[in-house]
Amino acid sequence: MLDAIRVQEVSPTVAWLRSPAAIRERCHQVLDLGLAGRLEYFRVEPSRLPTVVDRVLAVTHEAYPRLDIPVHSRWRHFDAGGVPRLAQLEAKLAPLPPEERARAKVDLGVVSVLLDAGSGPAWRYQEPGGASYVRSEGLAVASLRMFMAGGFSSDPDRPLRADAEALGRMTREQLERGLQVSESNPLLGVEGRLHLMQALSRVLPRPGSLFDMLAAHRRSVRAAEVLGTLLEVLGPIWPGRTTVDGVNLGDVWPHPALGPPGSADALVPFHKLSQWLAYSLVEPLAEAGVTVTELDALTGLPEYRNGGLFVDLGVLVPQDPRLTTEVYGPGDPPIVEWRALTVALLDRVAALVRGRLELSAEELPLAKVLQGGTWTAGRRVAAELRPGGVPPIRIRSDGTVF
């Protein structure tokens, strides 16, 4: 089954829309239109970018005074609250051979990232015997605890893994129990998350099989190849949205300013969860002796913390006040425009941050600027401006995009 997926023939257009180069090119096209005053939903104020850089540098120096910044990834969330959960996991995995440890960590990384779409403001996870956590950290801790309890494994003797049998038979009740969902603790997009878990069982015998595909007896793999493999193998799990040449593209949406309706020229690819997963595979691969190279080929992540930072600090100004009061779907043109502008502006912020720190792109890749960084600054500014730190623009989450 894996071989069949890997050799699937796709058109040149589909192959390009799956590439990080396409994400960057299309998003910068939208930014160019914004700088020329030709966008419908947002006005771009580049003079406000230094204010963003100031905030990003402030939170970066606070968290990483020596600038020893790790890659932005899911692994940062597992130790939320200063609890050494990863050390607990490492101790349990220690008896296994290195390659099986890597597969187990890829198992965890994949299921946790796919469960990481926006939670909504009302949900929280109460860790048994510990504190409660919300949003990404809450979903990370919940998914890690489910993993360590064998919640994704069909083999009671090998609980620290995820496999197709367990994922395929997962029920809504099981998922809600693991994530502590109830009427008083609602989580957005439960059905969407369950769909991803069940669909994952149909494309891989276990998520950790991705390690074998990417390692393949070599010492390095390019970041673009990691993303390409993820998009190729996991493509069938995404809900049917935009289809080109018979292929469901997932997190790819049209923007009316780029091309005629229905044309590939109008499409903006984001692949947010897939890129988040690509970043999150860097460390498990490295621990097994496989280095991910050319990391800056990947883009910034178009989600509400990074995007909210630009709105809250005045780089992106909504043309219509309703943009900050109404709720939008991920495919609505204002959201596509906002996300595209976010990706392109993150490149500019990264360059300005490096300039202020006098560091090269090799010394401070975009993945570290995000971690340092833009995501934390976005959350911090949102908390200063609105109760609960809700984003400035509200998105209707189905559990499969954000």
Side-chain angles (χ1 to χ4, degrees), residues 126-142:
Q126 175 67 51
E127 188 169 26
S132 65
Y133 301 93
V134 300
R135 300 192 182 272
S136 281
E137 288 90 342
L139 290 164
V141 174

Side-chain angles (χ1 to χ4, degrees), residues 119-376:
S119 67
W123 177 84
R124 64 184 54 247
Y125 179 78
Q126 175 67 51
E127 188 169 26
S132 65
Y133 301 93
V134 300
R135 300 192 182 272
S136 281
E137 288 90 342
L139 290 164
V141 174
S143 58
L144 176 61
R145 290 308 183 195
M146 288 178 70
F147 181 83
M148 294 182 71
F152 304 104
S153 173
S154 64
D155 186 348
D157 294 327
R158 294 190 294 170
L160 297 179
R161 54 180 277 144
D163 59 57
E165 183 179 345
L167 294 170
R169 72 186 185 201
M170 181 172 286
T171 65
R172 180 176 180 131
E173 290 71 26
Q174 286 175 304
L175 185 59
E176 288 185 337
R177 185 166 57 251
L179 299 178
Q180 299 179 352
V181 178
S182 66
E183 286 188 10
S184 61
N185 192 37
L187 175 70
L188 296 180
V190 173
E191 273 307 323
R193 293 170 218 267
L194 179 63
H195 165 82
L196 291 181
M197 294 295 101
Q198 294 174 339
L200 185 59
S201 75
R202 297 191 286 271
V203 298
L204 288 168
R206 64 180 290 192
S209 303
L210 288 164
F211 167 75
D212 299 281
M213 295 180 187
L214 294 168
H217 310 292
R218 54 184 164 176
R219 296 300 185 111
S220 68
V221 58
R222 293 179 299 109
E225 186 178 349
V226 174
L227 179 62
T229 299
L230 294 174
L231 292 175
E232 184 180 359
V233 174
L234 302 183
I237 79 173
W238 305 111
R241 297 186 184 109
T242 301
T243 300
V244 172
D245 299 329
V247 177
N248 173 30
L249 292 175
D251 189 12
V252 178
W253 313 86
H255 189 285
L258 291 184
S263 73
D265 289 341
L267 296 178
V268 186
F270 296 115
H271 305 304
K272 184 264 176 179
L273 280 180
S274 298
Q275 289 205 90
W276 181 226
L277 180 52
Y279 283 128
S280 299
L281 294 184
V282 170
E283 287 155 279
L285 287 168
E287 290 169 12
V290 181
T291 302
V292 178
T293 62
E294 301 176 28
L295 199 56
D296 257 7
L298 303 183
T299 74
L301 301 179
E303 42 75 47
Y304 62 81
R305 289 304 181 205
N306 288 325
L309 179 65
F310 294 117
V311 174
D312 283 339
L313 294 184
V315 178
L316 297 178
V317 181
Q319 306 268 34
D320 186 331
R322 289 178 297 180
L323 277 174
T324 59
T325 59
E326 297 186 357
V327 181
Y328 295 90
D332 290 340
I335 302 305
V336 177
E337 187 167 297
W338 180 36
R339 297 180 77 200
L341 290 166
T342 296
V343 170
L345 288 168
L346 287 169
D347 280 343
R348 292 202 169 199
V349 167
L352 291 169
V353 166
R354 291 183 197 115
R356 295 266 286 270
L357 295 175
E358 298 183 348
L359 295 174
S360 66
E362 290 72 27
E363 294 169 307
L364 190 66
L366 175 60
K368 295 189 176 185
V369 177
L370 299 175
Q371 176 61 29
T374 57
W375 190 89
T376 303

Side-chain angles (χ1 to χ4, degrees), residues 56-57 59-61 63-72 76 353 357 359 363-373:
V56 171
L57 285 171
V59 297
T60 299
H61 283 303
Y64 305 101
R66 297 182 179 179
L67 297 181
D68 50 344
I69 310 167
V71 168
H72 188 56
R76 308 285 77 76
V353 166
L357 295 175
L359 295 174
E363 294 169 307
L364 190 66
L366 175 60
K368 295 189 176 185
V369 177
L370 299 175
Q371 176 61 29

Side-chain angles (χ1 to χ4, degrees), residues 74-80 83 85-86 108 112 140-141 143-144:
R74 191 56 163 159
W75 301 96
R76 308 285 77 76
H77 293 154
F78 288 130
D79 283 345
V83 179
R85 299 179 192 88
L86 286 178
L108 170 60
S112 186
V141 174
S143 58
L144 176 61

